[in-house]
Amino acid sequence: GQRSISYAELEQRSERLARLLLQRGAGADALIGIHIERSIELVVAMLAVLKTGAAYVPLESRLPSKRLGFILDDTGACIVLTSERLAKRLPAALEVIALDSDWESLCPREGVLPDVQAHTPAYVIYTSGSTGQPKGVVIDHQGLASYAAWAHKTFSPQPQPVFALFSSIGFDLTVTSIFVPLISGGSIVAYPEEEGAVDLAVLRVFAEGRVDTVKLTPAHLRLVAGLDLTDTRIKALILGGEDLKSADARRVVASSDGNITVYNEYGPTEAVVGCMVHRFDPHRDRDSSVPLGVPADGVRIYVLDAGLNPVPRGVVGELYIGGSRLARCYFNSRELTSDRFLEDPFGAGGRIYRSGDLARFNDAGI
């Protein structure tokens, strides 16, 4: 809308909220729920939790009550940051802080914030497993910082990029839209949630022309397939979460007269948002799907057979991800963690993650 916040104000508000959270019991290894619609308050809440050394648990505003209850029970979140409207959906016994109320009057005037260590959990994001049972993926500060630095270098080399925030905080593609502009000296334009069963804020993003970078899914891309983007301000589209078809990528590049760059970013939540990227070339990329591309900084990629042996180029195997940017574990699930996170068998040290995705190296080695 018409509201805005400067970096100085963002720092002051998030520090005040962090001191209040510390007073209420937040700190290392604590989990704080965030149940807020897309807004300035959402960004304040995320930064405040990180400043305390606690981890935030994103609880999207449209989350079904059963799943919301499951996540709250599973995490044992000690506090939930929310709004007065959404607080009505939360259990009465839960401690909540409504960020559209007069919470700042409750904040301690002074207080030292803790030093946060690299391997302290930063957020726990819940994804649906193959059985439909949600599982919490624990991402630490090192993984988040490493991803944000790589994404900044890859997607926003220009100064002060403007990113659109229009996707749910329950999906980790939102991590890109918040942290990359903030470490780049850029801006976030937050789009309020649309009424109705389907949130079509993506259409407003393209229609209003207030941003230059958009992180979205291929399904979002198909929604805007018929738009004339000749005069759009948008310069970069970062696609992730699904198979990106070359025809869809080619169509959006053509509709902008070649002024939009399309990136295909691959990565399960367990590898911190994205671990591979390919810059789409409408002339060279002729297969039906856009390649996954090359590994991100600090990432190793393997395509292996059932015996964990590398397969030859062109042969389909399972994709494994190694390096320093893997999730810490699955929350409250030692068995699942040991099943999916394995010791690296290739002498590189550390662990590899078994993605469950099938892949092959193409003739170009990507």
Side-chain angles (χ1 to χ4, degrees):
Q2 301 304 311
R3 299 171 60 215
S4 64
I5 187 171
S6 69
Y7 273 87
E9 293 166 330
L10 181 61
E11 181 76 350
Q12 291 162 5
R13 291 190 70 192
S14 60
E15 285 199 358
R16 284 200 293 269
L17 182 55
R19 290 199 295 269
L20 178 60
L21 291 172
L22 288 167
Q23 187 183 63
R24 301 287 178 88
D29 297 323
L31 297 180
I32 309 293
I34 296 182
H35 190 45
I36 304 173
E37 294 180 332
R38 295 186 297 265
S39 60
I40 290 171
E41 288 71 28
L42 170 63
V43 182
V44 170
M46 293 170 73
L47 294 180
V49 174
L50 295 178
K51 288 174 186 288
T52 69
Y56 69 83
V57 181
L59 304 164
E60 58 183 293
S61 62
R62 295 168 181 254
L63 207 59
S65 297
K66 185 176 180 181
R67 183 170 169 124
L68 178 63
F70 171 86
I71 295 174
L72 289 171
D73 288 343
D74 195 47
T75 60
C78 60
I79 304 168
V80 176
L81 301 175
T82 186
S83 64
E84 291 187 331
R85 184 180 73 82
L86 292 177
K88 298 171 184 176
R89 302 188 66 218
L90 299 170
L94 201 63
E95 181 171 7
V96 302
I97 299 174
L99 297 190
D100 54 354
S101 66
D102 189 24
W103 62 270
E104 292 181 90
S105 65
L106 305 174
C107 296
R109 292 184 179 275
E110 296 180 353
V112 178
L113 299 181
D115 291 329
V116 180
Q117 303 302 308
H119 293 290
T120 301
Y123 62 85
V124 180
I125 193 166
Y126 275 74
T127 64
S128 292
S130 56
T131 62
Q133 181 79 316
K135 58 184 188 294
V137 182
V138 182
I139 304 298
D140 62 24
H141 278 260
Q142 174 178 284
L144 173 57
S146 175
Y147 170 76
W150 169 78
H152 163 53
K153 181 179 73 173
T154 304
F155 304 128
S156 60
Q158 77 276 17
Q160 300 181 328
V162 183
F163 274 67
L165 173 57
F166 73 94
S167 52
S168 164
I169 63 168
F171 298 111
D172 62 357
L173 65 84
T174 306
V175 168
T176 313
S177 302
I178 290 177
F179 290 101
V180 175
L182 288 183
I183 69 167
S184 308
S187 305
I188 302 166
V189 177
Y191 289 82
E193 297 185 12
E194 304 282 356
E195 296 294 332
V198 180
D199 189 353
L200 297 178
V202 65
L203 296 176
R204 288 185 57 196
V205 173
F206 280 79
E208 291 184 2
R210 300 175 64 190
V211 304
D212 50 49
T213 308
V214 186
K215 177 78 178 280
L216 68 171
T217 68
H220 289 134
L221 193 63
R222 289 189 286 274
L223 284 174
V224 298
L227 298 180
D228 180 1
L229 301 175
T230 307
D231 298 320
T232 185
R233 174 179 169 176
I234 296 169
K235 299 301 180 188
L237 298 179
I238 309 164
L239 278 297
E242 304 164 15
D243 176 29
L244 174 58
K245 297 301 183 184
S246 297
D248 292 335
R250 189 171 292 107
R251 189 178 299 115
V252 75
V253 172
S255 69
S256 70
D257 282 345
N259 292 319
I260 290 180
T261 300
V262 174
Y263 297 93
N264 190 27
E265 182 188 31
Y266 165 83
T269 298
E270 291 83 350
V272 191
V273 187
C275 61
M276 299 179 72
V277 69
H278 179 75
R279 180 172 174 166
F280 175 70
D281 186 322
H283 305 293
R284 295 183 182 178
D285 294 328
R286 309 308 299 182
D287 290 340
S288 62
S289 295
V290 178
L292 302 184
V294 296
D297 295 346
V299 173
R300 300 187 301 275
I301 296 295
Y302 306 105
V303 181
L304 308 177
D305 63 18
L308 298 185
N309 302 301
V311 300
R313 182 175 294 186
V315 175
V316 173
E318 186 171 355
L319 194 148
Y320 286 75
I321 304 161
S324 59
R325 261 223 274 126
L326 295 181
R328 183 170 173 175
C329 60
Y330 289 112
F331 188 76
N332 276 348
S333 185
R334 238 180 236 185
E335 185 177 343
L336 183 58
T337 298
S338 61
D339 179 59
R340 301 299 290 270
F341 293 90
L342 315 175
E343 197 173 317
D344 192 323
F346 302 105
R351 303 170 301 154
I352 58 174
Y353 170 69
R354 181 167 63 88
S355 72
D357 292 335
L358 299 180
R360 62 178 175 83
F361 288 105
N362 64 17
D363 292 340
I366 58 177

